[in-house]
Amino acid sequence: MEEEKKSPRKTWDLMIGIALVLFGGIRLYNRLQAEAEWSFRSMITILFIGYGGYLIYRHFQNKPKN
């Protein structure tokens, strides 16, 4: 019953945030292993990881409305 009250948007934001952090971290790790220097693409990847972290943070900061 509690799951029905949750907004689907909030759940999707959490899943998207987790995916951005995980896949962005893996991509950044692989890029730095291959190139060993920071490039424009590395900076963009960090921005995506940061946005994913923000989505996760926002998910857990919003208190459920009763």
Side-chain angles (χ1 to χ4, degrees), residues 38-53:
W38 292 92
S39 65
F40 178 72
R41 288 185 180 210
S42 299
M43 299 299 177
I44 294 296
T45 304
I46 289 176
L47 287 174
F48 278 105
I49 293 171
Y51 181 66

Side-chain angles (χ1 to χ4, degrees), residues 19-36:
L20 284 173
V21 170
L22 287 177
F23 294 131
I26 292 169
R27 182 180 173 111
L28 183 64
Y29 175 77
N30 288 337
R31 181 179 306 282
L32 291 178
Q33 288 294 320
E35 294 177 8

Side-chain angles (χ1 to χ4, degrees), residues 1-28:
M1 186 112 157
E2 192 174 306
E3 290 294 321
E4 293 174 9
K5 293 181 183 178
K6 255 186 171 177
S7 106
R9 167 74 188 252
K10 188 175 178 183
T11 305
W12 275 107
D13 281 351
L14 177 64
M15 290 190 291
I16 290 169
I18 291 171
L20 284 173
V21 170
L22 287 177
F23 294 131
I26 292 169
R27 182 180 173 111
L28 183 64

